[in-house]
């Protein structure tokens, strides 16, 4: 939907004052919006910062671009022709853990909550500050790079077992009775945190700080949605066992017996 919500002149002057302090020139960002001016504005700002930028103007093209270009981060409008941003995010989140930021004129709490529920890492409302948007992009990419670095630095293979469930902490793999479960990196890290501290209660805020980082600019609602997805995937292979329980008003804990 074309909102005309970015004040181009003020935005351009603001963008020119953003210092280029970075970064990895190989990092690619996909910008998805049906407004040509917004796409160009954001693309110019990101390219000024040294990022490679690809673009899409509808939902189905966005999915295609992600599959073909493998961007490091997606900036996604909600009101897109053909397939809206919520549907795009939900589809991508099934098997990808790259940061996804909604950039939308939809400002209701219900829209923001639903955005996090379908898998967004952040939600920025139009009209927006390009300085803030770039800062959020950098923060999410920084955390994503740290996570990838942790993956590479794991040298020792350590397996944790909980009943028929086996978690390989170094390979970031989960198996149930020998069959692999497909978890995103964030889902795996939440599972790892809980299973390594059985029956210890973690609040949403603590989980968010541990997994996303203290400097995160997102929302703890995303923890609830990640827990739901982990539970759903576990239930697909073992409907009888309650692995993660909710302590209402407090947080979550791992219930099943664990052994190293």
């Amino acid at each position: 939907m074309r909102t005309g919500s970015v004040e181009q002149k003020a935005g351009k002057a603001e963008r020119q004052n953003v210092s280029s302090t970075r970064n990895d020139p190989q990092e690619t960002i996909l910008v998805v919006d049906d407004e040509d001016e917004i796409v160009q504005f954001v693309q110019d700002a990101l390219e000024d910062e040294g990022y490679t930028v690809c673009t899409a103007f509808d939902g189905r093209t966005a999915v295609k671009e992600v599959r073909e270009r493998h961007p490091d981060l997606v900036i996604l409008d909600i009101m897109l022709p053909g397939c809206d941003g919520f549907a795009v995010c939900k589809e991508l989140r099934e098997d990808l853990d790259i940061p996804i930021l909604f950039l939308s004129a939809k400002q209701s709490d219900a829209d923001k909550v639903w955005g996090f529920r379908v898998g967004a890492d952040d939600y920025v409302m139009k009209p927006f500050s390009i300085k803030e948007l770039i800062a959020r992009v950098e923060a999410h990419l920084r955390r994503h790079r740290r996570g990838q670095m942790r993956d590479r630095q794991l040298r020792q293979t350590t397996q944790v077992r909980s009943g028929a469930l086996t978690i390989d902490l170094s390979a970031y793999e989960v198996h149930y009775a020998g069959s692999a479960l497909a978890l995103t990196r964030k889902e795996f890290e939440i599972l790892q945190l809980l299973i390594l501290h059985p029956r210890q209660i973690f609040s949403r805020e603590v989980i968010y700080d541990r997994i996303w980082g203290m400097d995160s600019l997102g929302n703890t609602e995303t923890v609830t949605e990640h827990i739901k997805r982990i539970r759903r995937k576990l239930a697909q292979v073992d409907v009888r066992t309650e692995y993660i329980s909710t302590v209402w008003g407090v947080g979550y804990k791992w219930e099943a017996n664990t052994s190293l």
Side-chain angles (χ1 to χ4, degrees):
M1 179 178 180
R2 300 182 179 276
T3 62
S5 58
V6 178
E7 297 181 6
Q8 297 292 338
K9 292 182 179 179
K12 183 176 181 181
E14 181 184 14
R15 177 164 57 81
Q16 289 172 341
N17 291 327
V18 177
S19 61
S20 183
T21 58
R22 45 163 319 306
N23 265 328
D24 183 354
Q26 301 304 313
E27 286 178 313
T28 299
I29 297 173
L30 172 63
V31 179
V32 187
D33 201 298
D34 67 335
E35 291 195 62
D36 296 353
E37 290 185 352
I38 290 180
V39 170
Q40 190 63 59
F41 175 63
V42 175
Q43 180 177 3
D44 288 347
L46 293 170
E47 288 178 345
D48 285 348
E49 294 297 309
Y51 296 104
T52 299
V53 179
C54 51
T55 62
F57 298 89
D58 63 82
R60 293 268 53 97
T61 303
V63 173
K64 182 173 180 288
E65 284 291 300
V66 170
R67 302 303 184 194
E68 294 180 355
R69 300 289 296 272
H70 307 291
D72 299 284
L73 180 144
V74 178
I75 297 174
L76 182 62
D77 188 21
I78 291 174
M79 295 179 285
L80 297 170
C83 177
D84 70 20
F86 290 138
V88 171
C89 182
K90 186 175 182 180
E91 180 174 343
L92 296 179
R93 194 51 85 209
E94 287 300 318
D95 59 351
L96 294 175
D97 62 0
I98 60 173
I100 299 175
L101 284 68
F102 275 125
L103 181 63
S104 176
K106 296 175 76 67
Q107 301 187 9
S108 73
D109 287 344
D111 288 321
K112 288 183 280 187
V113 168
W114 186 244
F116 288 115
R117 284 183 174 174
V118 296
D121 296 284
D122 208 346
Y123 195 109
V124 178
M125 292 183 293
K126 302 174 182 176
F128 59 93
S129 160
I130 195 63
K131 286 183 179 179
E132 179 183 349
L133 179 63
I134 289 173
R136 288 175 180 267
V137 165
E138 291 176 346
H140 284 289
L141 285 173
R142 196 162 52 241
R143 285 190 296 276
H144 193 61
R145 287 194 297 268
R146 285 201 300 262
Q148 291 177 321
M149 187 177 299
R150 285 196 301 269
D151 294 350
R152 291 192 296 267
Q153 289 175 339
L154 284 169
R155 295 288 187 261
Q156 181 179 0
T157 300
T158 303
Q159 291 190 343
V160 179
R161 292 180 175 82
S162 184
L165 202 64
T166 301
I167 297 91
D168 190 324
L169 302 179
S170 65
Y172 270 45
E173 293 178 351
V174 180
H175 292 81
Y176 181 85
S179 299
L181 274 66
L183 299 182
T184 67
R185 183 168 61 83
K186 287 290 192 296
E187 290 168 354
F188 182 91
E189 290 177 351
I190 293 173
L191 181 68
Q192 175 180 264
L193 173 65
L194 296 176
I195 202 170
L196 289 178
H197 303 86
R199 296 184 175 82
Q200 178 178 339
I201 301 171
F202 290 90
S203 68
R204 290 196 311 177
E205 291 75 19
V206 169
I207 294 173
Y208 194 77
D209 288 344
R210 295 278 190 94
I211 306 304
W212 278 265
M214 293 293 291
D215 62 341
S216 177
L217 299 171
N219 188 295
T220 57
E221 181 69 27
T222 193
V223 173
T224 304
E225 299 312 313
H226 277 73
I227 293 287
K228 287 180 181 178
R229 290 201 293 271
I230 294 169
R231 282 172 166 162
R232 185 167 62 248
K233 292 177 180 181
L234 291 173
Q236 288 173 353
V237 295
D238 183 3
V239 70
R240 294 176 297 179
T241 304
E242 182 184 33
Y243 289 97
I244 302 172
S245 67
T246 299
V247 181
W248 294 106
V250 183
Y252 305 99
K253 64 178 179 177
W254 187 263
E255 288 285 7
N257 293 326
T258 300
S259 62
L260 295 174

